[in-house]
Amino acid sequence: MNILIVEDEKALLSSMTDYLTGTGMHCDTAETLEAALLQISNNDYDCILLDIGLPDGNGFKVIEAMQEKDHATGILIISARNSLDDRLTGLNIGADDYITKPFHMPELIARIKSVARRRSSTERKALIFHEIKLIPDEMVMYIGEKMLSLTKKEHELMVYLINNPNRVLTKEAIAEHLWGDHADIADSFDFIYSHIKNLRKKIIDCGGKDYIKSVYGVGYKFTAE
């Protein structure tokens, strides 16, 4: 597994590099935002371990840069920050998981493997539902012949919906699928509504039918009924 570690604490960077290398992973490192952006522009990674607070900028910019590449890289945020806003921001803009310092190295390995499993589960052939064609490993969707670009969360949501047609999916189940262990970090599910609304609008604006039906008080159903 090819890993990029973005961390400005030299001792922690060294510890992570040594530990992960000892498990057979290949590790590149970056101690600044500039160095991290250079690494991702020149290399492909299976997973990025990303510190948020870098000396020359916010680590979220790495996630934003990766989103522009339509990447298939897992992103695990590693930060001393433990606020709800930081966690929600990181997960909503494209991170796969979030772990706070201090942490034990075996837990880090477990999180990396979990992200890798989650990523590999979506790398399948095209999924088709009436006029919708979803290509998971490219993070694109077609409505008829028109290509529709999706954000990472919209893509993951669409994969979940199209794989569960005619089933009522609770908001809790959707949150668990999109945010994993962090599904309980918000007191409400407004963020799910926002993603559903944006995804529905993109499909309709591109000429597709509205297959996402609200089930009052429960969640949503993806159906042609």
Side-chain angles (χ1 to χ4, degrees), residues 4 30 32-43 45 62:
L4 172 63
T32 65
L33 175 60
E34 181 181 5
L37 293 175
L38 182 62
Q39 290 278 34
I40 63 174
S41 68
N42 294 329
N43 303 284
Y45 295 100
V62 173

Side-chain angles (χ1 to χ4, degrees), residues 20-152:
L20 297 181
T21 300
T23 67
M25 298 182 185
H26 174 269
C27 298
D28 288 339
T29 63
E31 297 182 38
T32 65
L33 175 60
E34 181 181 5
L37 293 175
L38 182 62
Q39 290 278 34
I40 63 174
S41 68
N42 294 329
N43 303 284
D44 292 322
Y45 295 100
D46 298 302
C47 187
I48 297 175
L49 309 181
L50 178 64
D51 186 17
I52 296 174
L54 299 171
D56 58 339
N58 194 307
F60 289 144
K61 292 183 179 179
V62 173
I63 303 177
E64 294 169 356
M66 290 299 295
Q67 294 296 78
E68 294 177 0
K69 297 176 60 177
D70 288 332
H71 69 97
T73 302
I75 300 176
L76 174 60
I77 292 177
I78 298 177
S79 176
R81 303 178 186 180
N82 197 28
S83 73
L84 176 62
D85 287 344
D86 282 332
R87 284 181 282 172
L88 282 174
T89 297
L91 294 169
N92 278 326
I93 68 174
D96 294 277
D97 204 350
Y98 193 113
I99 187 172
T100 55
K101 305 172 186 177
F103 53 84
H104 297 292
M105 292 299 170
E107 180 185 2
L108 178 62
I109 292 290
R111 294 293 185 95
I112 293 173
K113 291 181 177 179
S114 176
V115 167
R117 284 195 300 270
R118 200 178 308 164
R119 281 283 176 172
S120 64
S121 69
T122 63
E123 293 178 0
R124 290 174 252 174
K125 296 182 179 180
L127 303 172
I128 298 174
F129 187 90
H130 294 266
E131 73 274 21
I132 296 176
K133 180 180 179 181
L134 181 68
I135 306 178
D137 58 354
E138 295 180 15
M139 288 183 64
V140 296
M141 184 165 70
Y142 290 88
I143 307 297
E145 299 299 320
K146 297 179 181 178
M147 188 177 78
L148 177 61
S149 294
L150 303 175
T151 67
K152 176 177 173 294

Side-chain angles (χ1 to χ4, degrees), residues 153-203:
K153 288 303 177 187
E154 289 167 353
H155 164 76
E156 292 178 353
L157 175 59
M158 194 63 209
V159 169
Y160 190 48
L161 292 173
I162 205 170
N163 274 322
N164 292 279
N166 303 312
R167 291 182 57 190
V168 175
L169 303 174
T170 66
K171 295 176 182 178
E172 291 81 3
I174 295 173
E176 175 67 25
H177 178 78
L178 295 180
W179 282 274
D181 293 338
H182 303 286
D184 61 347
I185 61 180
D187 295 329
S188 72
F189 294 107
D190 289 344
F191 53 87
I192 293 178
Y193 171 77
S194 178
H195 285 303
I196 290 285
K197 179 181 177 181
N198 292 338
L199 182 58
R200 178 185 281 137
K201 184 177 187 301
K202 283 187 176 182
I203 293 173

